[in-house]
Amino acid sequence: MQDQLSQTFSALADPTRRAMLARLSKGEANVSDLAEPFLKEMSLPAITKHLKVLEKAGLITKSKEAQYRPCKLNGEALKTASDWMEQYRVFWEESFDRLDEYLKSVTAKKKSKGKKNGRKK
């Protein structure tokens, strides 16, 4: 059994599922609307399987309206993944800031040594 965050990243690992989420970010769509761009490449059962993975990961919700199965994006599941990645974004941003400061100090030292030795460019 996978934890919720692992299920989210597993679901996001597939480009078809990411494309479906991108479509749903523009608004609710029924299963046939979501399937339409992929029908030349894969079968409807394969598309249904992708939707089940997204639904199981909590990334979408599917409801029933007569013969239609409208799907909606569930932003809360994406927020959990985004919050998890945020700590690493902060780490890398701080690391790059420290690298930038170090490179500025090294460059400043080289310039001051060059002036002492009377070098000109």
Side-chain angles (χ1 to χ4, degrees), residues 50-67:
H50 281 296
L51 290 171
K52 282 182 181 174
V53 170
L54 291 171
E55 195 173 12
K56 188 176 176 186
L59 294 168
I60 66 168
T61 54
K62 200 164 51 173
S63 57
K64 229 180 199 179
E65 288 179 18
Q67 72 269 26

Side-chain angles (χ1 to χ4, degrees), residues 40-88:
K40 289 181 182 174
E41 303 164 12
M42 63 181 75
S43 65
L44 194 56
I47 290 166
T48 301
K49 190 175 176 181
H50 281 296
L51 290 171
K52 282 182 181 174
V53 170
L54 291 171
E55 195 173 12
K56 188 176 176 186
L59 294 168
I60 66 168
T61 54
K62 200 164 51 173
S63 57
K64 229 180 199 179
E65 288 179 18
Q67 72 269 26
Y68 298 106
R69 303 287 180 265
C71 299
K72 286 193 284 189
L73 185 65
N74 180 10
E76 189 59 37
L78 287 172
K79 184 174 180 339
T80 303
S82 176
D83 289 347
W84 184 83
M85 288 187 292
E86 178 65 14
Q87 62 187 317
Y88 297 100

